[in-house]
Structure formats: C-alpha cells, structure tokens
Amino acid sequence: MTQDIVILAAGKGSRMKSAFSKVLHKVGGIAMVRRVLTTANTLPDSKLHLVVGHQGEQVEANCQDFSANIVWQNDPQGTGDALRRVAPFLQDDGVALTLYGDVPLIRASTLTKMTALSTPNTLVLLTIKLDNPTGYGRIVRDDHGKVTAIVEQKDASVEQLAIQEVNTGILLAPNHRLKVWLAALTNTNAQGEYYLTDVIAMAARDGLDIVTVHPENEAEVAGVNDRVQLAALERDWQHQQAIQLMQNGATLLDPSRIDVRGELITGHDVIIDVNCVFEGKVVLGNGVEIGPNCHLKDCVIGDNTIVKSHTLIDDSQVGESCDIGPFARLRPGTQLSNKAKIGNFVETKKARIGEGSKVNHLSYIGDTDMGANVNVGAGTITCNYDGVNKHLTQVGDNVFIGSNTSLVAPVQVAEGATIAAGSTITKQVNEKQLAFARARQINKDNWIGPVKK
C-alpha cells in the first residue's frame, strides 16, 4: 500500500520570539523539521508532503534536499485546514500519516507499529496517558473501550477533562475516506478552526476500526511551543544519547554533562569526561580518552588516542595512539599519523603530521606536509599566507626544528636536517644540513636603558 506522509510546519510559533521559523530551531544540533523528515524517510514506499506557511521560504530552503512536495498554508486555520490543502495530492489507493515539524523525537519504530495496523477500513491513532493532560485533546471511548471521538481542551466537559489518555496529533488514515472527512469539516468550535481531530468521530460514525498505538516515552511525542520546552526536549534527547553511548560500552564520567549534536560512534572502552560537545559525525576508536571541556566536530579519532582538556578538533583525521592537548586546536584538513603528538596551545590547519612527529607547544602549523619523527620546537610557525595565496611547507623525516623558527612557504626542509632556534627559513634546506638564519648578536657595553619620566 502506498503511503503519503504529511509534515505540518506552517505555524507561526510566536512564543519562540524568533526571526526564524519555529521548526528550524534545533534539537541535538539538527533542525526539528529535518529530524521529522529524516525519520519519515526511513518508512518504505512513502511520498513526503511538507506544509509550510509563516516563514515558509526559510523552511523550504532548509529542507530542499528531501525532495518533499511543498504545500502552502498562508492563512492557517487549523490542522484540518492544513490536511485539506494536501488532499488533492493524496493517492486514493493509499494511506496518509500526519506528523508535526515541532515534534522532532518521534521514532521510526513507533511509526512502523502504526503502519503495520493500517488497512483500508482502519484509522490508527497515536495516544499517550499523561499524569497532567492539560492542553491536550482527550481520547473519548465508549463503554466497550472503543474510541469514539477526540475532544479538544477548550471544548471539553468537566468529565472529559478528567480523561488522562490524550491525542498526540499523529494519525494514519486511508486516503479515500480521509478526503471525504476533510471536505466535511466545519470550524464551529471555540477556536474557530478546522480540527483534524474531528475526523475521528466521522470515522467512528462510518464504522471504521479505530485502533491506538502508544509511544515508548513522552519525549517522543512532545511538541515545542517556546524556548523552555525546546530546552527540556534538548535535555531529553541528550539523556537518550548518553544512555545509548553507555550501553554501547562508553564510560561517561557524568552522563548529564555531554552534548551530542549529530552522530557519535564509539568503540569499546572509550572514556569521555565532563562538558564535551560532539557535532556532525564523530567516530572514536577503541580505548580513546576525551578529557573535559573538549569540542569535536566531523572527525575520526584512532584507537588509544588521548585528547586532553579544552581541545578543539574540526574536520580532521587522527591516527592511533596520538597525544593531543591540552588547549590544542586541530582545524579542518589536519591529518595526524599514528603516535603523533600535538601539545598545548598548538594550532594546525590543512597539515599532515607524520608518524611519531611532535609539535609540543605554542606553534602554528598550516598548509604543511610533515614526515615522520620530526621534532618541532616551541614557538615555531609556518608562514603559509602571502596576503593573497596559501603556500605549502614540506618537512622530511627526522627533521629537528629549533624553537621560535619561522618557515616561510613555499619552502622545503629535507630529511635529517636541523634548523637552529630563532631562524627564519626562506630557502630549501637539504638532507642533514644545519640551517642558521638569524642576525649576528651584538652586545653594547655601558648601555643606559630608558628612564621613567
């Protein structure tokens, strides 16, 4: 059976007090609506429809890679109104699943359970029981436990307000029936809107089987209306990530102080200290240790590497048994071979550091191809930028570079060479040569220094 998936993302979200569409605010580093679209995309034989309205251009531009059918709802009049605008695109012989762009943590496994119950004569509802159901539409059942209607909070009687089973808004209905129900909707209610929930009573009247499915947890169906709810959902998401990481064999020294804003893959016996942030896709090999207050983005860290505190790694490849930090910064394009060492206050960019090479402290190495077993003294920099273009520095194996050296690119230092401390190297240094490039020291006797006036 073909399946249409409709994601509602037209709301104004005025309580967010933002220049951006509500559904573009992020949970776990990913826009809420993109999370919903990604989950929807996992369901087979599905066609995506994205309903946009307020700041719809922003939403459409942000989601164009999903190839969803964009449907405009410029003057929103409720969820039923949104579905009526999608109705012409729905396949008569299929079913429609309704999702929400501000309910980002819905799981594919839950939606799969719903689709498994779908038939041409069945309507599937996702419901949940809450200790405090205030604000939600209540699920009304008859004496036999069959669902007969959904009553919104503002339209509910005192008895109905006591019901704890509530509507999540997520439902699955056969299209040939849904189109008829949508056409029959009215807005004679307290909100003056067309409620999608009114189709439940129509389905009951028409003799359809109305079945319910429940999510695994409340966070899965929690919506976001303001930044307080957004922050709460972020914590729910991070808690879920922490549990999964620990179940996969990672040690988190404090599971409440980690932020995963993308995908974090860990090997066995990984240790992550407090206040670490992971963005994009990060892969940590077996036995990796991440110190406190580190920020890793789009990188791969090899087995048994130690990343010490306050280190930033972005778009880089790190080999096995490396030693990085503290206070190091690996910028995009950095590649560390096995057993390389990057020490405190060292910055690298678009640099390949060979096996066993050491850049211990207070250095900048950019646009560099460095061989194995090189020792770089403190304060060394590669002068890779001439004001217009970037140039390459090439350093061979077993080179010793003295402290406070400037390597003015493009330049080559061949295997086994030694650079004297304080040198500015502008010309090629050949194999096993010793290069001095500094002015002769002059000492003046009886020097009288400046006197404070």
PDB file of all heavy atoms in Angstrom, residues 19-48:
ATOM      1  N   ALA A  19      13.318  35.352  14.911  1.00  0.00           N
ATOM      2  CA  ALA A  19      13.257  35.738  13.500  1.00  0.00           C
ATOM      3  C   ALA A  19      13.226  34.521  12.584  1.00  0.00           C
ATOM      4  O   ALA A  19      13.054  34.660  11.377  1.00  0.00           O
ATOM      5  CB  ALA A  19      14.460  36.611  13.146  1.00  0.00           C
ATOM      6  N   PHE A  20      13.385  33.341  13.159  1.00  0.00           N
ATOM      7  CA  PHE A  20      13.409  32.110  12.379  1.00  0.00           C
ATOM      8  C   PHE A  20      12.144  31.288  12.635  1.00  0.00           C
ATOM      9  O   PHE A  20      11.539  31.379  13.704  1.00  0.00           O
ATOM     10  CB  PHE A  20      14.634  31.267  12.739  1.00  0.00           C
ATOM     11  CG  PHE A  20      15.936  31.991  12.548  1.00  0.00           C
ATOM     12  CD1 PHE A  20      16.600  32.536  13.630  1.00  0.00           C
ATOM     13  CD2 PHE A  20      16.485  32.151  11.290  1.00  0.00           C
ATOM     14  CE1 PHE A  20      17.791  33.219  13.474  1.00  0.00           C
ATOM     15  CE2 PHE A  20      17.682  32.827  11.117  1.00  0.00           C
ATOM     16  CZ  PHE A  20      18.330  33.366  12.209  1.00  0.00           C
ATOM     17  N   SER A  21      11.784  30.501  11.655  1.00  0.00           N
ATOM     18  CA  SER A  21      10.656  29.596  11.823  1.00  0.00           C
ATOM     19  C   SER A  21      10.892  28.676  13.013  1.00  0.00           C
ATOM     20  O   SER A  21      12.008  28.190  13.238  1.00  0.00           O
ATOM     21  CB  SER A  21      10.469  28.762  10.548  1.00  0.00           C
ATOM     22  OG  SER A  21       9.556  27.711  10.764  1.00  0.00           O
ATOM     23  N   LYS A  22       9.833  28.429  13.766  1.00  0.00           N
ATOM     24  CA  LYS A  22       9.954  27.575  14.942  1.00  0.00           C
ATOM     25  C   LYS A  22      10.555  26.215  14.610  1.00  0.00           C
ATOM     26  O   LYS A  22      11.420  25.708  15.339  1.00  0.00           O
ATOM     27  CB  LYS A  22       8.577  27.383  15.588  1.00  0.00           C
ATOM     28  CG  LYS A  22       8.590  26.405  16.757  1.00  0.00           C
ATOM     29  CD  LYS A  22       7.248  26.307  17.455  1.00  0.00           C
ATOM     30  CE  LYS A  22       6.201  25.636  16.618  1.00  0.00           C
ATOM     31  NZ  LYS A  22       4.969  25.357  17.393  1.00  0.00           N
ATOM     32  N   VAL A  23      10.133  25.619  13.507  1.00  0.00           N
ATOM     33  CA  VAL A  23      10.561  24.254  13.199  1.00  0.00           C
ATOM     34  C   VAL A  23      12.021  24.171  12.763  1.00  0.00           C
ATOM     35  O   VAL A  23      12.574  23.083  12.630  1.00  0.00           O
ATOM     36  CB  VAL A  23       9.660  23.611  12.115  1.00  0.00           C
ATOM     37  CG1 VAL A  23       8.229  23.512  12.600  1.00  0.00           C
ATOM     38  CG2 VAL A  23       9.745  24.371  10.791  1.00  0.00           C
ATOM     39  N   LEU A  24      12.666  25.341  12.561  1.00  0.00           N
ATOM     40  CA  LEU A  24      14.081  25.341  12.211  1.00  0.00           C
ATOM     41  C   LEU A  24      14.982  25.424  13.436  1.00  0.00           C
ATOM     42  O   LEU A  24      16.201  25.305  13.318  1.00  0.00           O
ATOM     43  CB  LEU A  24      14.400  26.497  11.255  1.00  0.00           C
ATOM     44  CG  LEU A  24      13.768  26.391   9.866  1.00  0.00           C
ATOM     45  CD1 LEU A  24      14.203  27.561   9.000  1.00  0.00           C
ATOM     46  CD2 LEU A  24      14.120  25.072   9.191  1.00  0.00           C
ATOM     47  N   HIS A  25      14.390  25.632  14.608  1.00  0.00           N
ATOM     48  CA  HIS A  25      15.194  25.584  15.824  1.00  0.00           C
ATOM     49  C   HIS A  25      15.643  24.143  16.052  1.00  0.00           C
ATOM     50  O   HIS A  25      14.956  23.192  15.692  1.00  0.00           O
ATOM     51  CB  HIS A  25      14.392  26.124  17.003  1.00  0.00           C
ATOM     52  CG  HIS A  25      14.241  27.615  16.963  1.00  0.00           C
ATOM     53  ND1 HIS A  25      15.046  28.466  17.677  1.00  0.00           N
ATOM     54  CD2 HIS A  25      13.394  28.404  16.259  1.00  0.00           C
ATOM     55  CE1 HIS A  25      14.693  29.713  17.433  1.00  0.00           C
ATOM     56  NE2 HIS A  25      13.695  29.707  16.568  1.00  0.00           N
ATOM     57  N   LYS A  26      16.811  23.998  16.661  1.00  0.00           N
ATOM     58  CA  LYS A  26      17.493  22.701  16.668  1.00  0.00           C
ATOM     59  C   LYS A  26      17.342  21.943  17.976  1.00  0.00           C
ATOM     60  O   LYS A  26      17.315  22.533  19.049  1.00  0.00           O
ATOM     61  CB  LYS A  26      18.977  22.907  16.370  1.00  0.00           C
ATOM     62  CG  LYS A  26      19.249  23.469  14.974  1.00  0.00           C
ATOM     63  CD  LYS A  26      20.728  23.680  14.738  1.00  0.00           C
ATOM     64  CE  LYS A  26      20.983  24.216  13.327  1.00  0.00           C
ATOM     65  NZ  LYS A  26      22.419  24.445  13.078  1.00  0.00           N
ATOM     66  N   VAL A  27      17.278  20.634  17.847  1.00  0.00           N
ATOM     67  CA  VAL A  27      17.399  19.702  18.964  1.00  0.00           C
ATOM     68  C   VAL A  27      18.532  18.741  18.609  1.00  0.00           C
ATOM     69  O   VAL A  27      18.527  18.142  17.526  1.00  0.00           O
ATOM     70  CB  VAL A  27      16.094  18.922  19.209  1.00  0.00           C
ATOM     71  CG1 VAL A  27      16.327  17.815  20.226  1.00  0.00           C
ATOM     72  CG2 VAL A  27      14.994  19.861  19.687  1.00  0.00           C
ATOM     73  N   GLY A  28      19.515  18.638  19.479  1.00  0.00           N
ATOM     74  CA  GLY A  28      20.666  17.802  19.169  1.00  0.00           C
ATOM     75  C   GLY A  28      21.408  18.263  17.933  1.00  0.00           C
ATOM     76  O   GLY A  28      21.970  17.452  17.195  1.00  0.00           O
ATOM     77  N   GLY A  29      21.427  19.588  17.706  1.00  0.00           N
ATOM     78  CA  GLY A  29      22.178  20.154  16.594  1.00  0.00           C
ATOM     79  C   GLY A  29      21.520  20.057  15.238  1.00  0.00           C
ATOM     80  O   GLY A  29      22.113  20.453  14.233  1.00  0.00           O
ATOM     81  N   ILE A  30      20.290  19.541  15.170  1.00  0.00           N
ATOM     82  CA  ILE A  30      19.589  19.359  13.893  1.00  0.00           C
ATOM     83  C   ILE A  30      18.227  20.020  13.982  1.00  0.00           C
ATOM     84  O   ILE A  30      17.516  19.862  14.984  1.00  0.00           O
ATOM     85  CB  ILE A  30      19.444  17.863  13.559  1.00  0.00           C
ATOM     86  CG1 ILE A  30      20.832  17.211  13.428  1.00  0.00           C
ATOM     87  CG2 ILE A  30      18.627  17.648  12.286  1.00  0.00           C
ATOM     88  CD1 ILE A  30      20.800  15.711  13.259  1.00  0.00           C
ATOM     89  N   ALA A  31      17.837  20.768  12.953  1.00  0.00           N
ATOM     90  CA  ALA A  31      16.543  21.443  12.934  1.00  0.00           C
ATOM     91  C   ALA A  31      15.422  20.428  13.168  1.00  0.00           C
ATOM     92  O   ALA A  31      15.443  19.320  12.624  1.00  0.00           O
ATOM     93  CB  ALA A  31      16.329  22.159  11.607  1.00  0.00           C
ATOM     94  N   MET A  32      14.438  20.838  13.976  1.00  0.00           N
ATOM     95  CA  MET A  32      13.364  19.908  14.339  1.00  0.00           C
ATOM     96  C   MET A  32      12.687  19.316  13.116  1.00  0.00           C
ATOM     97  O   MET A  32      12.448  18.100  13.048  1.00  0.00           O
ATOM     98  CB  MET A  32      12.343  20.618  15.233  1.00  0.00           C
ATOM     99  CG  MET A  32      12.861  20.984  16.601  1.00  0.00           C
ATOM    100  SD  MET A  32      11.546  21.551  17.720  1.00  0.00           S
ATOM    101  CE  MET A  32      11.182  23.166  17.019  1.00  0.00           C
ATOM    102  N   VAL A  33      12.365  20.136  12.144  1.00  0.00           N
ATOM    103  CA  VAL A  33      11.644  19.629  10.974  1.00  0.00           C
ATOM    104  C   VAL A  33      12.512  18.655  10.174  1.00  0.00           C
ATOM    105  O   VAL A  33      12.009  17.686   9.591  1.00  0.00           O
ATOM    106  CB  VAL A  33      11.154  20.794  10.087  1.00  0.00           C
ATOM    107  CG1 VAL A  33      12.300  21.544   9.423  1.00  0.00           C
ATOM    108  CG2 VAL A  33      10.170  20.291   9.033  1.00  0.00           C
ATOM    109  N   ARG A  34      13.817  18.865  10.169  1.00  0.00           N
ATOM    110  CA  ARG A  34      14.705  17.940   9.468  1.00  0.00           C
ATOM    111  C   ARG A  34      14.762  16.592  10.190  1.00  0.00           C
ATOM    112  O   ARG A  34      14.880  15.547   9.547  1.00  0.00           O
ATOM    113  CB  ARG A  34      16.107  18.534   9.332  1.00  0.00           C
ATOM    114  CG  ARG A  34      16.192  19.695   8.352  1.00  0.00           C
ATOM    115  CD  ARG A  34      17.630  20.122   8.121  1.00  0.00           C
ATOM    116  NE  ARG A  34      18.411  19.049   7.539  1.00  0.00           N
ATOM    117  CZ  ARG A  34      18.494  18.775   6.225  1.00  0.00           C
ATOM    118  NH1 ARG A  34      17.812  19.515   5.360  1.00  0.00           N
ATOM    119  NH2 ARG A  34      19.238  17.788   5.784  1.00  0.00           N
ATOM    120  N   ARG A  35      14.669  16.612  11.493  1.00  0.00           N
ATOM    121  CA  ARG A  35      14.610  15.349  12.235  1.00  0.00           C
ATOM    122  C   ARG A  35      13.360  14.558  11.832  1.00  0.00           C
ATOM    123  O   ARG A  35      13.416  13.341  11.617  1.00  0.00           O
ATOM    124  CB  ARG A  35      14.601  15.604  13.741  1.00  0.00           C
ATOM    125  CG  ARG A  35      15.955  15.968  14.314  1.00  0.00           C
ATOM    126  CD  ARG A  35      15.994  15.792  15.819  1.00  0.00           C
ATOM    127  NE  ARG A  35      17.335  16.009  16.340  1.00  0.00           N
ATOM    128  CZ  ARG A  35      18.299  15.101  16.334  1.00  0.00           C
ATOM    129  NH1 ARG A  35      18.065  13.901  15.839  1.00  0.00           N
ATOM    130  NH2 ARG A  35      19.498  15.374  16.822  1.00  0.00           N
ATOM    131  N   VAL A  36      12.237  15.251  11.740  1.00  0.00           N
ATOM    132  CA  VAL A  36      10.984  14.577  11.379  1.00  0.00           C
ATOM    133  C   VAL A  36      11.068  14.032   9.960  1.00  0.00           C
ATOM    134  O   VAL A  36      10.682  12.884   9.690  1.00  0.00           O
ATOM    135  CB  VAL A  36       9.785  15.529  11.527  1.00  0.00           C
ATOM    136  CG1 VAL A  36       8.489  14.831  11.128  1.00  0.00           C
ATOM    137  CG2 VAL A  36       9.687  16.049  12.959  1.00  0.00           C
ATOM    138  N   LEU A  37      11.588  14.837   9.032  1.00  0.00           N
ATOM    139  CA  LEU A  37      11.715  14.392   7.646  1.00  0.00           C
ATOM    140  C   LEU A  37      12.661  13.189   7.539  1.00  0.00           C
ATOM    141  O   LEU A  37      12.399  12.250   6.776  1.00  0.00           O
ATOM    142  CB  LEU A  37      12.233  15.540   6.781  1.00  0.00           C
ATOM    143  CG  LEU A  37      11.209  16.628   6.447  1.00  0.00           C
ATOM    144  CD1 LEU A  37      11.911  17.891   5.963  1.00  0.00           C
ATOM    145  CD2 LEU A  37      10.215  16.143   5.393  1.00  0.00           C
ATOM    146  N   THR A  38      13.747  13.207   8.289  1.00  0.00           N
ATOM    147  CA  THR A  38      14.695  12.096   8.263  1.00  0.00           C
ATOM    148  C   THR A  38      14.043  10.809   8.746  1.00  0.00           C
ATOM    149  O   THR A  38      14.223   9.735   8.151  1.00  0.00           O
ATOM    150  CB  THR A  38      15.922  12.420   9.137  1.00  0.00           C
ATOM    151  OG1 THR A  38      16.571  13.590   8.613  1.00  0.00           O
ATOM    152  CG2 THR A  38      16.907  11.262   9.141  1.00  0.00           C
ATOM    153  N   THR A  39      13.268  10.906   9.831  1.00  0.00           N
ATOM    154  CA  THR A  39      12.559   9.729  10.338  1.00  0.00           C
ATOM    155  C   THR A  39      11.528   9.239   9.328  1.00  0.00           C
ATOM    156  O   THR A  39      11.419   8.039   9.070  1.00  0.00           O
ATOM    157  CB  THR A  39      11.865  10.067  11.667  1.00  0.00           C
ATOM    158  OG1 THR A  39      12.861  10.483  12.616  1.00  0.00           O
ATOM    159  CG2 THR A  39      11.126   8.854  12.224  1.00  0.00           C
ATOM    160  N   ALA A  40      10.781  10.163   8.747  1.00  0.00           N
ATOM    161  CA  ALA A  40       9.762   9.792   7.762  1.00  0.00           C
ATOM    162  C   ALA A  40      10.385   9.091   6.556  1.00  0.00           C
ATOM    163  O   ALA A  40       9.798   8.166   5.985  1.00  0.00           O
ATOM    164  CB  ALA A  40       8.999  11.034   7.322  1.00  0.00           C
ATOM    165  N   ASN A  41      11.575   9.531   6.196  1.00  0.00           N
ATOM    166  CA  ASN A  41      12.248   8.959   5.032  1.00  0.00           C
ATOM    167  C   ASN A  41      12.636   7.497   5.221  1.00  0.00           C
ATOM    168  O   ASN A  41      12.938   6.801   4.253  1.00  0.00           O
ATOM    169  CB  ASN A  41      13.506   9.779   4.697  1.00  0.00           C
ATOM    170  CG  ASN A  41      13.358  10.531   3.389  1.00  0.00           C
ATOM    171  OD1 ASN A  41      12.419  10.318   2.642  1.00  0.00           O
ATOM    172  ND2 ASN A  41      14.302  11.411   3.117  1.00  0.00           N
ATOM    173  N   THR A  42      12.654   7.030   6.460  1.00  0.00           N
ATOM    174  CA  THR A  42      13.013   5.626   6.712  1.00  0.00           C
ATOM    175  C   THR A  42      11.860   4.677   6.411  1.00  0.00           C
ATOM    176  O   THR A  42      12.075   3.463   6.302  1.00  0.00           O
ATOM    177  CB  THR A  42      13.450   5.432   8.177  1.00  0.00           C
ATOM    178  OG1 THR A  42      12.343   5.687   9.048  1.00  0.00           O
ATOM    179  CG2 THR A  42      14.604   6.359   8.532  1.00  0.00           C
ATOM    180  N   LEU A  43      10.638   5.205   6.284  1.00  0.00           N
ATOM    181  CA  LEU A  43       9.487   4.351   6.002  1.00  0.00           C
ATOM    182  C   LEU A  43       9.434   4.061   4.504  1.00  0.00           C
ATOM    183  O   LEU A  43       9.516   4.977   3.677  1.00  0.00           O
ATOM    184  CB  LEU A  43       8.198   5.028   6.461  1.00  0.00           C
ATOM    185  CG  LEU A  43       8.136   5.383   7.953  1.00  0.00           C
ATOM    186  CD1 LEU A  43       6.800   6.041   8.280  1.00  0.00           C
ATOM    187  CD2 LEU A  43       8.353   4.155   8.831  1.00  0.00           C
ATOM    188  N   PRO A  44       9.277   2.807   4.121  1.00  0.00           N
ATOM    189  CA  PRO A  44       9.313   2.449   2.693  1.00  0.00           C
ATOM    190  C   PRO A  44       8.073   2.909   1.935  1.00  0.00           C
ATOM    191  O   PRO A  44       7.002   3.119   2.514  1.00  0.00           O
ATOM    192  CB  PRO A  44       9.407   0.921   2.726  1.00  0.00           C
ATOM    193  CG  PRO A  44       8.762   0.532   4.024  1.00  0.00           C
ATOM    194  CD  PRO A  44       9.084   1.622   4.995  1.00  0.00           C
ATOM    195  N   ASP A  45       8.245   3.072   0.624  1.00  0.00           N
ATOM    196  CA  ASP A  45       7.130   3.386  -0.295  1.00  0.00           C
ATOM    197  C   ASP A  45       6.350   4.612   0.163  1.00  0.00           C
ATOM    198  O   ASP A  45       5.113   4.613   0.187  1.00  0.00           O
ATOM    199  CB  ASP A  45       6.186   2.182  -0.407  1.00  0.00           C
ATOM    200  CG  ASP A  45       6.888   0.941  -0.918  1.00  0.00           C
ATOM    201  OD1 ASP A  45       7.746   1.079  -1.798  1.00  0.00           O
ATOM    202  OD2 ASP A  45       6.591  -0.155  -0.415  1.00  0.00           O
ATOM    203  N   SER A  46       7.069   5.665   0.524  1.00  0.00           N
ATOM    204  CA  SER A  46       6.413   6.859   1.050  1.00  0.00           C
ATOM    205  C   SER A  46       6.700   8.079   0.181  1.00  0.00           C
ATOM    206  O   SER A  46       7.773   8.208  -0.409  1.00  0.00           O
ATOM    207  CB  SER A  46       6.884   7.142   2.481  1.00  0.00           C
ATOM    208  OG  SER A  46       6.536   6.078   3.338  1.00  0.00           O
ATOM    209  N   LYS A  47       5.700   8.961   0.137  1.00  0.00           N
ATOM    210  CA  LYS A  47       5.847  10.245  -0.526  1.00  0.00           C
ATOM    211  C   LYS A  47       5.678  11.332   0.523  1.00  0.00           C
ATOM    212  O   LYS A  47       4.702  11.342   1.272  1.00  0.00           O
ATOM    213  CB  LYS A  47       4.807  10.413  -1.635  1.00  0.00           C
ATOM    214  CG  LYS A  47       4.909  11.748  -2.379  1.00  0.00           C
ATOM    215  CD  LYS A  47       3.863  11.863  -3.468  1.00  0.00           C
ATOM    216  CE  LYS A  47       3.977  13.200  -4.199  1.00  0.00           C
ATOM    217  NZ  LYS A  47       2.932  13.340  -5.248  1.00  0.00           N
ATOM    218  N   LEU A  48       6.644  12.276   0.589  1.00  0.00           N
ATOM    219  CA  LEU A  48       6.632  13.313   1.618  1.00  0.00           C
ATOM    220  C   LEU A  48       5.915  14.565   1.133  1.00  0.00           C
ATOM    221  O   LEU A  48       6.115  15.021   0.007  1.00  0.00           O
ATOM    222  CB  LEU A  48       8.062  13.676   2.016  1.00  0.00           C
ATOM    223  CG  LEU A  48       8.953  12.547   2.544  1.00  0.00           C
ATOM    224  CD1 LEU A  48      10.325  13.091   2.910  1.00  0.00           C
ATOM    225  CD2 LEU A  48       8.307  11.875   3.739  1.00  0.00           C
TER     226      LEU A  48
END
